[in-house]
């Protein structure tokens, strides 16, 4: 007896087949997901399209071999995922607009491109959903912010939620909060990697070899994350369990807090938000 599929999704077209599309595709290719009607992807180069030759459920088109690649890919697709660089979104929508199915849902992962811009570029019957995934989607541990456009129904939103749940968790927010969400979870993996880099340098300075330092720090981050996930405990409580009164950890935490770590995160995310606004203003 075969195990029932956990998720069933309608025909999906990815316009753009780079890192982000690849991450979501990984989720869709899991045995627990069935995409009825198949998956189409498009790329600029034939070389990228050729990399899907061995993936039976994916039909790849490229603009190098066929100027109609994007238009062909969206025909009859229910979900059309815009996974090109943000500056290309208006151009790609202008190209495919007239070929979109009347009940299609255009799902953008492009940073900074507004629902209003996209809704203006597609026929009035086509719904738009704007999203902000993050790179841990590559390993099924992403978190994606999802904002419904003005025409998206609850069913459309449920489909988009199901799509991104194949690669992690989903948080629905109004579009006005999506840039702020991006400064937390979109950019967040970079903050974590920076902390890993810095603590590794500190470990080397304390006399450990590069490989020992890497093992100590990376295993500590992974272990702490797993502990947080497995216990579901409040992180402040987990921190207290490592921090005996008048002990060594307490001394280190005092130094980090005296340096204004929480204010630093406020300023870092404010800077990211200000940059998002500058980019949106062109
Ligand atoms: N990477 C992230 O961390 C991240 C996180 C959140 C959101 N995003 C968003 O995801 C989007 C894609 O980013 P990415 O990092 O995946 O970029 P990427 O790796 O550069 O991928 C872009 C893809 O678009 C293809 N392409 C270029 N022009 C095209 C066209 N006219 N029609 C169809 N496909 C075309 C490229 O084809 P070739 O491969 O042949 O060049 C490539 O496969 C961006 O809008 C970004 O804001 C990315």
């Amino acid at each position: 007896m075969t195990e029932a599929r956990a998720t069933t999704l309608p025909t999906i077209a990815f316009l753009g087949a780079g890192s982000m599309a690849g991450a979501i595709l990984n989720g869709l290719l899991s045995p627990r997901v069935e995409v009825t009607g198949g998956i189409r992807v498009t790329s600029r180069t034939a070389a990228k399209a050729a990399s899907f030759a061995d993936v039976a459920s994916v039909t790849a088109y490229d603009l190098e071999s066929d100027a109609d690649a994007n238009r062909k890919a969206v025909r009859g697709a229910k979900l059309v995922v815009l996974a090109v660089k943000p500056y290309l979104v208006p151009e790609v929508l202008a190209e495919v607009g007239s070929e979109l199915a009347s009940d299609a849902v255009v799902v953008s992962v492009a940073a900074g491109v507004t629902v209003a811009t996209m809704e203006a570029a597609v026929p009035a019957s086509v719904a738009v959903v704007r999203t902000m995934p993050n790179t841990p989607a590559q390993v099924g541990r992403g978190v994606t912010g999802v904002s419904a456009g003005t025409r998206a129904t609850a069913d459309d939103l449920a489909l988009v939620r199901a799509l991104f749940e194949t690669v992690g968790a989903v948080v629905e927010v109004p579009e006005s909060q999506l840039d702020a969400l991006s400064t937390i979870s979109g950019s967040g993996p970079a903050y974590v990697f920076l902390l890993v880099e810095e603590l590794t340098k500190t470990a080397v300075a304390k006399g450990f070899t590069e490989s020992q330092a890497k093992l100590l720090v990376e295993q500590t981050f992974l272990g702490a994350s797993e502990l947080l996930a497995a216990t579901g405990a409040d992180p402040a409580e987990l921190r207290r369990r490592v921090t005996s009164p008048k002990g060594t950890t307490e001394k280190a935490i005092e130094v980090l807090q005296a340096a204004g770590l929480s204010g630093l995160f406020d300023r870092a995310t404010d800077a990211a938000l200000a940059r998002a606004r500058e980019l949106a203003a062109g």
Side-chain angles (χ1 to χ4, degrees):
M1 201 172 85
T2 53
E3 199 191 329
R5 304 278 193 171
T7 305
T8 303
L9 289 162
T11 310
I12 304 175
F14 286 89
L15 305 184
S19 329
M20 197 31 83
I24 306 166
L25 265 171
N26 269 340
L28 293 180
L29 296 175
S30 135
R32 289 171 56 78
V33 180
E34 182 182 26
V35 183
T36 56
I39 303 169
R40 296 100 178 250
V41 301
T42 70
S43 60
R44 196 174 42 84
T45 60
K48 175 53 94 173
S51 69
F52 294 97
D54 293 338
V55 190
S57 50
V58 172
T59 309
Y61 304 84
D62 65 87
L63 290 165
E64 212 169 60
S65 331
D66 183 353
D68 273 341
N70 286 331
R71 285 188 286 272
K72 283 184 179 160
V74 303
R75 271 177 212 149
K78 172 71 180 172
L79 291 169
V80 175
V81 182
L82 296 174
V84 291
K85 292 289 186 195
Y87 76 94
L88 284 173
V89 166
E91 179 182 321
V92 166
L93 281 181
E95 189 185 337
V96 301
S98 60
E99 299 290 341
L100 293 168
S102 59
D103 66 345
V105 181
V106 168
V107 184
S108 170
V109 299
V113 184
T114 64
V115 163
T117 299
M118 291 184 279
E119 284 185 345
V122 297
S125 66
V126 171
V128 167
V129 176
R130 186 177 158 194
T131 72
M132 177 47 62
N134 67 0
T135 53
Q138 284 166 30
V139 290
R141 293 289 200 148
V143 54
T144 303
V146 169
S147 300
T150 63
R151 307 165 192 154
T153 63
D155 285 351
D156 294 338
L157 214 52
L159 274 182
V160 176
R161 179 180 264 282
L163 172 65
F164 286 98
E165 279 178 348
T166 66
V167 289
V170 168
V171 181
E172 284 175 37
V173 295
E175 191 186 14
S176 57
Q177 270 193 302
L178 208 55
D179 284 341
L181 178 144
S182 177
T183 73
I184 305 292
S185 55
S187 306
Y191 312 155
V192 174
F193 299 136
L194 180 63
L195 292 175
V196 171
E197 287 172 64
E198 291 302 328
L199 195 55
T200 305
K201 283 185 208 158
T202 296
V204 170
K206 288 267 184 299
F208 296 102
T209 65
E210 295 275 353
S211 68
Q212 286 173 328
K214 184 174 153 65
L215 182 71
L216 288 172
V217 176
E218 293 181 8
Q219 192 61 29
T220 299
F221 271 77
L222 287 171
S225 302
E226 292 278 343
L227 193 61
L228 186 64
T231 58
D234 184 340
E237 170 54 24
L238 291 173
R239 175 163 59 81
R240 274 194 291 275
R241 289 183 204 166
V242 192
T243 316
S244 338
K246 305 199 192 313
T248 55
T249 308
E250 189 180 75
K251 286 292 165 202
I253 296 287
E254 271 170 25
V255 172
L256 290 169
Q257 285 177 332
L261 192 59
S262 57
L264 198 56
F265 275 118
D266 291 342
R267 291 208 302 285
T269 52
D270 284 352
L273 196 53
R275 181 65 182 143
R277 291 191 177 132
E278 267 172 31
L279 290 172

